[in-house]
């Protein structure tokens, strides 16, 4: 939790205890990643809450800088909530202005001083966002100085959404649909003309009768079965070489900074030797999400989410069960598999019947129980922290994890996932 800070102390270092991070994706019309809204939560005093006033915004901004904003968002754009006190301070002067959008919270009244300050910052390259329903009639005053207008699809009636969005588009503003949770809502907002979408509609499973896996996915699953059955490398190599795109993706993956090869790997046989069976299995899991020919579509969003979730669960398992490498491997597998129902558009029950898994993994995926189920519940709660922040603290307590440790593990997972996805597709 951040200690209170006066406006004249805004540029001084702040101390934060027991915090963790929400990183919510903002996708474009092709469902490719555009940015992240960063939310920092305090976990002290027995409640998971976002701190109010200056301390909340100061926590985000200060620690985005301290932890390294690129580690948290990669090449994406950061959306950061700011209140009036922060707006009038200089605490965010060190942020990369070309990749930072300052989101004006609902408590800010756009008086002359606020508009003047926003105009000054805009001249220095900062961009602004405002939420339509939060500011109501005052939105008209903000429009000349904001670049993005957010609209909460849960708060605004559909009829208002349908009439307001086209009018706002004529002003040249970029429209962001918030809390989009279903594909129907996404399609509606797409048709109306929204530019960006925030919400987890892309991660919700949609069961499709008669759905068939792509040839590439079928090949990857066949390879995973060969790996778990200890088949010879030559047999695995033969299948990989038969699928040209699969081989290219595998070579991209083994040459990522996330793998850390000391020299460039040029052949499939080298890649298989370098990885070993343990790493090969996890890279095959990643390749399931890296469908060829769909760069910039929902698979890339799922890939980012799945790899971040899996890596965070792996790091948590390493912290909680040190020296037990197999436990960390299983945690990674659970994280990757937890979105396969969305990827394949089939029920999770069918997936665990088709892909051989141990009982602990099955239990975690189906009912979120057991050690791996607790890790999965924590990862999912962190992803949707604006809706389920209350679910984080009890799980932290159950797992005996300190919020400060969790934040650093989250940043490491964000960074690792960004490196993987950048080269995987």
């Amino acid at each position: 939790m951040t200690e209170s800070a006066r406006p004249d102390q805004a540029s001084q270092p702040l101390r934060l205890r027991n915090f963790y991070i929400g990183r919510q994706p903002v996708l474009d019309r092709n469902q490719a990643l555009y940015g992240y809204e960063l939310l920092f939560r305090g976990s002290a005093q027995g409640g998971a809450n976002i701190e109010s006033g200056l301390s909340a915004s100061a926590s985000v901004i200060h620690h985005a800088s301290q932890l390294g904003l690129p580690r948290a968002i990669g090449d994406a754009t950061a959306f950061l909530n700011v209140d009036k006190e922060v707006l009038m301070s200089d605490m965010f002067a060190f942020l990369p202005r070309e990749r930072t959008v300052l989101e004006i919270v609902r408590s800010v009244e756009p008086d002359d001083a606020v508009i003047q300050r926003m105009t000054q910052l805009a001249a220095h390259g900062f961009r602004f966002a405002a939420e339509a329903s939060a500011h109501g009639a005052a939105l008209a005053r903000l429009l000349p100085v904001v670049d993005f207008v957010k609209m909460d699809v849960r708060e605004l009636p559909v009829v208002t959404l349908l009439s307001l969005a086209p009018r706002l588009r004529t002003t040249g503003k970029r429209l962001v649909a918030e809390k989009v949770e279903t594909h129907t809502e996404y399609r509606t907002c797409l048709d109306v003309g929204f530019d960006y979408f925030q919400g987890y509609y892309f991660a919700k499973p949609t069961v499709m009768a008669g759905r068939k896996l792509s040839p590439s996915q079928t090949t990857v699953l066949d390879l995973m079965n060969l790996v778990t059955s200890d088949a010879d490398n030559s047999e695995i190599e033969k299948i990989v070489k038969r699928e040209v795109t699969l081989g290219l993706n595998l070579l991209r993956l083994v040459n990522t900074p996330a793998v850390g090869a000391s020299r460039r790997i040029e052949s499939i046989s080298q890649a298989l030797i370098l990885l070993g069976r343990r790493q090969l299995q996890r890279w095959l899991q990643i390749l399931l999400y890296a469908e060829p020919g769909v760069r910039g579509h929902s698979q890339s969003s799922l890939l980012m989410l799945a790899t971040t979730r899996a890596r965070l669960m792996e790091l948590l398992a390493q912290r909680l069960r040190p020296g037990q490498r197999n436990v960390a491997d299983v945690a990674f597998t659970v994280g990757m598999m937890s979105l396969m129902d969305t990827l394949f558009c089939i029920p999770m029950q069918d997936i665990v019947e088709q892909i051989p898994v141990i009982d602990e993994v099955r239990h975690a995926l189906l009912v979120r129980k057991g050690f791996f189920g607790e890790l999965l519940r924590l990862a999912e709660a962190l992803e949707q922290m604006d809706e389920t922040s209350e679910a984080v603290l009890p799980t932290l307590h159950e797992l005996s994890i300190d919020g400060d440790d969790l934040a650093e593990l989250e940043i490491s997972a964000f960074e690792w996932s960004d490196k993987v996805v950048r080269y995987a597709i």
Side-chain angles (χ1 to χ4, degrees), residues 295 300 303-304 307 416-425:
R295 185 181 182 92
S300 62
L303 175 59
M304 179 68 81
T307 50
W416 186 87
S417 175
D418 179 64
K419 289 177 180 177
V420 168
V421 174
R422 190 177 301 178
Y423 293 90
I425 54 176

Side-chain angles (χ1 to χ4, degrees), residues 136-180:
L139 181 65
R141 279 215 82 187
L142 287 168
L143 278 181
V145 285
V146 301
D147 301 272
F148 301 84
V149 176
K150 287 191 166 188
M151 300 174 70
D152 188 333
V153 301
R154 290 278 176 273
E155 194 166 310
L156 290 173
V158 174
V159 64
T160 304
L161 203 69
L162 294 176
S163 62
L164 182 58
R167 294 206 306 272
L168 287 172
R169 280 194 63 79
T170 64
T171 67
K173 307 305 175 185
R174 297 288 187 175
L175 302 185
V176 183
E178 287 188 294
K179 296 185 181 176
V180 182

Side-chain angles (χ1 to χ4, degrees), residues 214-227 239 243 246 280-281 283-291 340 344:
S214 71
S216 175
Q217 290 172 328
T218 301
T219 302
V220 173
L221 288 175
D222 290 341
L223 284 169
M224 288 173 64
N225 286 329
L226 287 176
V227 170
I239 293 180
E243 290 280 346
L246 180 61
L280 178 59
Q281 184 170 1
W283 293 122
L284 288 172
Q285 291 168 355
I286 290 171
L287 286 176
L288 276 173
Y289 291 83
E291 270 293 275
M340 284 186 183
F344 296 150

Side-chain angles (χ1 to χ4, degrees), residues 226-405:
L226 287 176
V227 170
T228 55
S229 63
D230 290 326
D232 291 338
N233 266 15
S234 58
E235 190 176 353
I236 295 172
E237 183 181 350
K238 189 185 303 181
I239 293 180
V240 173
K241 285 182 174 178
R242 196 168 63 215
E243 290 280 346
V244 176
T245 305
L246 180 61
L248 289 174
N249 275 343
L250 182 61
L251 287 174
R252 284 196 195 100
L253 282 171
V254 298
N255 284 295
T256 64
V259 175
S262 58
R263 58 189 175 87
R264 182 164 183 81
I265 304 302
E266 301 289 354
S267 71
I268 299 300
S269 59
Q270 284 180 316
L272 296 178
I273 293 171
L274 170 71
L275 289 176
R277 294 306 171 93
R278 168 177 166 263
Q279 285 282 36
L280 178 59
Q281 184 170 1
R282 77 170 44 190
W283 293 122
L284 288 172
Q285 291 168 355
I286 290 171
L287 286 176
L288 276 173
Y289 291 83
E291 270 293 275
V294 293
R295 185 181 182 92
H297 290 265
S298 58
Q299 276 85 347
S300 62
S301 305
L302 275 183
L303 175 59
M304 179 68 81
L305 186 60
T307 50
T308 302
R309 184 184 291 185
R311 180 61 171 169
L312 176 60
M313 291 176 63
E314 178 187 27
L315 292 173
L316 285 166
Q318 288 174 350
R319 180 67 58 91
L320 296 168
R321 305 277 178 89
Q324 299 181 36
R325 192 178 75 176
N326 184 61
V327 172
D329 290 342
V330 172
F332 184 92
T333 294
V334 170
M336 289 301 302
M337 291 189 66
S338 64
L339 286 163
M340 284 186 183
D341 52 349
T342 300
L343 177 68
F344 296 150
C345 298
I346 61 177
M348 185 61 72
Q349 180 69 50
D350 293 349
I351 291 172
V352 297
E353 289 175 1
Q354 295 178 33
I355 302 176
V357 295
I358 61 176
D359 288 342
E360 284 181 289
V361 172
R362 177 189 295 267
H363 207 47
L365 292 172
L366 294 180
V367 293
R368 303 301 194 261
K369 298 293 185 181
F371 175 70
F372 300 110
E374 288 182 353
L375 294 184
L376 180 54
R377 282 194 289 112
L378 176 58
E380 290 174 327
L382 289 168
E383 291 161 5
Q384 303 189 50
M385 200 158 54
D386 62 334
E387 300 292 341
T388 60
S389 58
E390 294 80 8
V392 175
L393 193 65
T395 309
L396 284 178
H397 180 73
E398 289 174 23
L399 294 170
S400 300
I401 301 172
D402 183 81
D404 297 337
D405 292 335

